Amino acid sequence: MLAKYRKVAVITRTKNRKILLRRALESVCGQTFQDFMWVVVNDGGDREEVDRIVEEARKRNCEAVVVHHEKSLGMEAASNAGIAAGDSEYVVIHDDDDSWEPAFLEKTVAFLDSERLFDGVITHTLLVNETIKDNVPHTTSCYGFNTWLKSVYLMEILMVNSFPPISFLYRRSAYNEVGKYDESLPVLGDWDFNIRFLEKYDIGVIPELLALYHHRDTIADPHDTYGNTVNAGLNNHVKYDAILRNRYFREQASGKSPGPIGLLANFAVMSNWQNSKIDRISSSSLVKGSNRVIDYMLAKFAWCRSLKKQIKGIGGRK
């Protein structure tokens, strides 16, 4: 079923997580900005409960549609299917286990409406640790996930994905240009999309905690319905981080990708490794007093000089 045009398409991917999907319903329908459609993609889960929750949204005057997959096609295929199910100016992924403050859509839409230099915008994110007991989520702790973030840099995102999908609203026209989420990726599809997005467009920042990124750290079983891929699927994240960086490098080397993203993505991981090594040296009990400071600064200076030299070489400069 194709939804009618709305200003924003809110895409929710779900599979057999009715407890969390009901919370997502409250988050979406509780927005102060109401010109949106809620597209729920049931990725191979039980139909009945999802249909019931979507019907509840409609009764609350939320424009809502559901897309059912007979079998699970994966997170990124679910994202693409949801985006294709409606027409809108803006798109945002609201996973079934995350949530928003009521003003999230109002403030992010107003930002992109007025700031034509940007094709996407993120807000600061509160990371919420929780457990599920007696079919109810219980918060155990929370803290600012990325409150240090003032601007979004391509070089920085190549080191680490600094914002989750729940905080990122972007123009559909940019999605059409950048290309779909990579359906071959079981994890890190949002990171890959963010990199491709930043190759072409800029992302603004609203320094307010308007997005809530929920984690259930106590669930380590990757087959548990209520686990997070970032926790329960940690091994996959490590594996696909290397696969993606290697792929970017090969595409650049073969000429498929004209830009230096492949080289920079691998410099980024080298930089993280080197900085970790330097920090271990600086905190070593074997390095005392002024010698510790000197060794730290010399190592840092040498690495920066080396990196600067290699980056200059990308452009063929001597």
Side-chain angles (χ1 to χ4, degrees):
M1 177 181 178
L2 184 68
K4 64 183 179 181
Y5 177 86
R6 293 287 187 178
K7 185 83 168 181
V8 180
V10 179
I11 314 302
T12 296
R13 313 173 289 194
T14 192
K15 181 184 176 183
N16 294 333
R17 303 210 292 190
K18 62 182 181 181
I19 297 168
L20 300 180
L21 186 58
R22 285 189 176 279
R23 180 173 65 191
L25 162 71
E26 297 300 324
S27 169
V28 173
C29 292
Q31 291 297 294
T32 54
F33 178 91
Q34 288 288 303
D35 188 9
F36 66 82
M37 67 182 80
W38 187 31
V39 184
V40 179
V41 183
N42 174 29
D43 191 36
D46 178 69
R47 283 172 168 255
E48 187 176 338
E49 190 62 33
V50 173
D51 284 337
R52 188 178 294 118
I53 292 172
V54 169
E55 186 57 35
E56 285 182 30
R58 292 174 183 146
K59 289 177 180 177
R60 293 173 60 169
N61 295 321
C62 285
E63 177 76 19
V65 298
V66 62
V67 177
H68 290 292
H69 289 168
E70 291 301 321
K71 62 179 182 179
S72 178
L73 301 179
M75 291 190 298
E76 310 318 329
S79 293
N80 292 330
I83 294 169
D87 188 18
S88 63
E89 183 175 355
Y90 301 130
V91 174
V92 59
I93 306 295
H94 185 309
D95 278 332
D96 62 359
D97 61 339
D98 292 327
S99 62
W100 286 327
E101 293 294 338
F104 176 86
L105 284 180
E106 180 184 347
K107 293 194 175 185
T108 53
V109 167
F111 182 96
L112 287 186
D113 278 350
S114 62
E115 296 283 353
R116 304 307 301 182
L117 289 175
F118 298 98
D119 285 86
V121 60
I122 64 167
T123 72
H124 284 172
T125 305
L126 189 70
L127 192 147
V128 181
N129 290 311
E130 63 188 14
T131 60
I132 295 178
K133 186 177 180 181
D134 299 326
N135 291 326
V136 177
H138 296 273
T139 298
T140 56
S141 65
C142 57
Y143 59 88
F145 176 71
N146 57 1
T147 51
W148 50 267
L149 201 61
K150 305 301 179 189
S151 300
V152 181
Y153 296 93
L154 176 56
M155 274 294 290
E156 196 167 56
I157 212 77
L158 288 169
M159 290 187 182
V160 62
N161 198 14
S162 55
F163 58 89
I166 188 65
S167 72
F168 184 26
L169 180 87
Y170 54 86
R171 302 185 197 279
R172 182 181 288 266
S173 58
Y175 169 86
N176 293 337
E177 182 66 27
V178 168
K180 296 180 178 181
Y181 289 89
D182 188 339
E183 297 181 8
S184 71
L185 297 173
V187 293
L188 299 183
D190 58 322
W191 181 50
D192 170 70
F193 180 80
N194 294 344
I195 290 171
R196 290 186 283 119
F197 192 101
L198 282 163
E199 282 188 88
K200 293 179 178 289
Y201 303 107
D202 289 307
I203 298 173
V205 177
I206 298 174
E208 297 181 47
L209 289 166
L210 299 175
L212 286 78
Y213 186 31
H214 296 259
H215 278 200
R216 288 159 301 286
D217 293 342
T218 57
I219 301 176
D221 182 355
H223 303 294
D224 191 304
T225 300
Y226 286 96
N228 296 85
T229 61
V230 74
N231 296 316
L234 181 59
N235 289 339
N236 254 1
H237 277 74
V238 173
K239 178 168 70 175
Y240 277 91
D241 181 272
I243 287 172
L244 276 172
R245 291 182 194 276
N246 289 338
R247 186 177 79 182
Y248 298 147
F249 191 85
R250 292 187 194 105
E251 287 177 351
Q252 181 186 340
S254 67
K256 289 182 182 178
S257 175
I261 292 299
L263 197 54
L264 294 175
N266 284 277
F267 278 150
V269 76
M270 288 168 60
S271 176
N272 279 342
W273 174 82
Q274 185 67 27
N275 283 333
S276 175
K277 183 179 177 183
I278 291 167
D279 289 338
R280 284 198 302 273
I281 292 172
S282 73
S283 61
S284 171
S285 60
L286 298 175
V287 185
K288 306 280 187 185
S290 60
N291 285 338
R292 174 176 170 176
V293 176
I294 291 168
D295 284 355
Y296 177 82
M297 294 305 295
L298 284 175
K300 203 83 166 172
F301 179 67
W303 168 245
C304 289
R305 283 190 63 188
S306 170
L307 184 61
K308 181 180 177 183
K309 217 167 151 187
Q310 293 174 76
I311 291 174
K312 286 178 80 173
I314 294 171
R317 293 175 293 189
K318 302 290 185 183

